[in-house]
Amino acid sequence: MIVTNSPEALRAAMVDHIKAAGHATNPTVERAMRTVPRHDFVPEASIDDAYADIAVITKSASDGSALSCASAPIIVAMMLDQLQVKPGNRILEIGAGTGYNAALLAQLTGPGGSVTTVDIDPEVTAGARRGLDATGNEHVEVITCNGSLGGPENAPYDRIIFTVGAWDLTPAFWEQLAPDGRLVVPLRWRGQTRSVAFVRDGDALVSDSMELCGFVPMIGQEGERSGAIDADGLVTLYWDGDQAIDAAKLSGVLDQPKEAVWSEVLVGPQEPFDGIWLRLTAHDSRICRISADRAAVDAGLCTPAIPARSPALAEDGSLAYLVFRKIQEGRFELGAIGNGPYGGHLAGQLCEAIEAWNQDRSAKPTVRAYLSNASTSAISFDPAMSHEVIEKTASRLVVSMC
């Protein structure tokens, strides 16, 4: 008899929950997650926490921010579905974590394949090594190195997966990914992070799926900029280095008169609307992230739809950001608040984007990634689609959408 709070019962319940949420759709992913004992990789956590749908923090910085963790199981399953591992694949994982994901990858590729996992932190790789050895995964290779360099020792790879957040993609991943290979990465642009599944197409990496996510960022990638726009430092903008956004020009903008514009688009309490932000990255170079502390929200200074992360449009000394208001029980109207000389105009444009998203809420852009030194002739544009070119340090993204 299996005790209801035994690791086996809790693991079965965990996978049942993941399946009900629409993930682990690949039977091999489901089987691996029902097999690998997650609690053996997070020995400091309780058995209940090991199988709960939460991230388990395994190393923190002095300020309390997470440096390493075991990702929430539902995110693990989602990304493994995206990776589409086949038996015999050679796999590289960037971000060793606890070793749990590498053990799942070893199950998926089987005895004919190989798994290499790398991490910059020797404490993290030592912990991953212990967990892998304790669960019979001695054949998984664990390497301590800068993840931006990949794992040249065992390249090329049929599959590459990041379990840390990346702002940029370095040449190593073009050099080490096999032709027709797949790369899954939590990639950050314009203030939001998506788990993007790329397929290699010559010198381009072309997306075929994207899912909202959040990850501990990779060390050493400092392309995102940030700046407070109020005197008390309660409201911060985040943007990319290639954007013409200057926080100094926006200082005090929230003290200026505000103008609210409403879209007549309604959502329920569980309906996601993050697609508005994603779509805007293909249409508007002014899109960024706004984050407001609770004190700013309570004072009415800045009231974004999601205080910690909402889309905003910033131009010179004007700003608009996404908001919502309750219309009736369980229904909320999306809109925008603008501040500054052109804040109302920006709010209207943000509402136009909300209305466009409402016409097809499931539509997503395509992202093509190239090395930054790729020739202009090698970059593909569809003239029937709107697109934005996002310049990073080592790579260039072309985000396209009708």
Side-chain angles (χ1 to χ4, degrees):
M1 182 179 71
I2 298 178
V3 180
T4 55
N5 63 347
S6 69
E8 294 78 14
L10 292 171
R11 186 159 63 250
M14 175 190 79
V15 179
D16 290 344
H17 170 74
I18 290 169
K19 293 283 291 179
H23 301 293
T25 56
N26 185 325
T28 61
V29 172
E30 178 184 355
R31 185 162 57 248
M33 297 195 78
R34 290 193 186 279
T35 301
V36 176
R38 188 171 188 256
H39 66 283
D40 285 344
F41 292 91
V42 286
E44 298 83 3
S46 68
I47 293 294
D48 286 341
D49 283 351
Y51 291 105
D53 188 27
I54 58 173
V56 177
I57 307 302
T58 54
K59 185 174 182 179
S60 299
S62 57
D63 64 0
S65 60
L67 293 175
S68 185
C69 70
S71 299
I74 203 165
I75 298 295
V76 172
M78 178 190 80
M79 294 180 69
L80 291 178
D81 279 341
Q82 288 181 295
L83 194 62
Q84 297 181 18
V85 175
K86 296 179 180 178
N89 277 168
R90 296 159 295 174
I91 305 173
L92 172 65
E93 178 188 38
I94 307 299
T98 63
Y100 173 65
N101 202 63
L104 293 169
L105 292 168
Q107 284 277 325
L108 293 171
T109 190
S114 66
V115 177
T116 302
T117 184
V118 306
D119 201 286
I120 197 170
D121 189 331
E123 289 186 26
V124 171
T125 52
R129 182 74 277 164
R130 287 193 298 271
L132 289 163
D133 289 349
T135 54
N137 290 286
E138 298 89 348
H139 56 292
V140 173
E141 185 163 359
V142 182
I143 299 172
T144 304
C145 72
N146 186 333
S148 294
L149 304 177
E153 297 89 340
N154 298 319
Y157 300 97
D158 305 295
R159 301 288 188 269
I160 299 177
I161 184 169
F162 285 62
T163 55
V164 290
W167 181 84
D168 199 2
L169 294 172
T170 62
F173 301 105
W174 274 265
E175 295 164 3
Q176 297 172 27
L177 184 63
D180 302 319
R182 292 182 68 83
L183 182 150
V184 173
V185 54
L187 188 61
R188 191 170 186 82
W189 72 95
R190 301 308 190 235
Q192 46 98 62
T193 302
R194 301 279 164 167
S195 177
V196 184
F198 287 108
V199 179
R200 182 156 195 172
D201 180 12
D203 291 333
L205 302 175
V206 184
S207 68
D208 72 358
S209 74
M210 272 182 275
E211 301 289 347
L212 184 67
C213 66
F215 271 82
V216 174
M218 180 181 285
I219 294 172
Q221 294 194 342
E222 309 299 336
E224 188 173 68
R225 310 285 187 257
S226 65
I229 59 173
D230 69 304
D232 296 320
L234 299 175
V235 182
T236 305
L237 288 187
Y238 297 83
W239 68 95
D240 290 327
D242 68 328
Q243 290 180 278
I245 294 175
D246 185 347
K249 290 183 178 180
L250 290 160
S251 180
V253 68
L254 297 172
D255 297 322
Q256 298 182 35
K258 65 178 65 175
E259 182 175 345
V261 181
W262 297 100
S263 67
E264 299 185 355
V265 173
L266 303 182
V267 295
Q270 302 302 318
E271 290 182 87
F273 48 85
D274 56 277
I276 300 165
W277 195 344
L278 178 59
R279 290 172 63 107
L280 272 165
T281 69
H283 293 282
D284 201 317
S285 62
R286 302 166 299 175
I287 188 70
C288 57
R289 170 189 163 202
I290 193 167
S291 177
D293 284 3
R294 175 51 57 186
V297 175
D298 291 345
L301 177 67
C302 184
T303 55
I306 301 175
R309 51 171 186 87
S310 286
L313 295 178
E315 184 175 9
D316 295 326
S318 298
L319 176 75
Y321 56 88
L322 186 72
V323 296
F324 61 72
R325 62 181 177 182
K326 189 174 183 179
I327 297 297
Q328 58 194 50
E329 191 63 34
R331 304 299 288 170
F332 301 85
E333 182 181 10
L334 299 176
I337 287 179
N339 296 81
Y342 303 104
H345 177 67
L346 292 178
Q349 291 182 314
L350 193 46
C351 279
E352 289 175 6
I354 294 169
E355 291 157 8
W357 163 79
N358 191 48
Q359 297 302 310
D360 184 358
R361 296 188 180 190
S362 64
K364 295 179 181 179
T366 297
V367 178
R368 300 178 72 91
Y370 303 85
L371 285 172
S372 59
N373 60 5
S375 66
T376 303
S377 61
I379 297 176
S380 174
F381 298 95
D382 184 340
M385 303 179 77
S386 171
H387 69 267
E388 283 290 323
V389 177
I390 298 171
E391 299 286 354
K392 294 182 175 284
T393 304
S395 64
R396 174 184 293 135
L397 304 183
V398 179
V399 187
S400 305
M401 191 163 193
C402 293

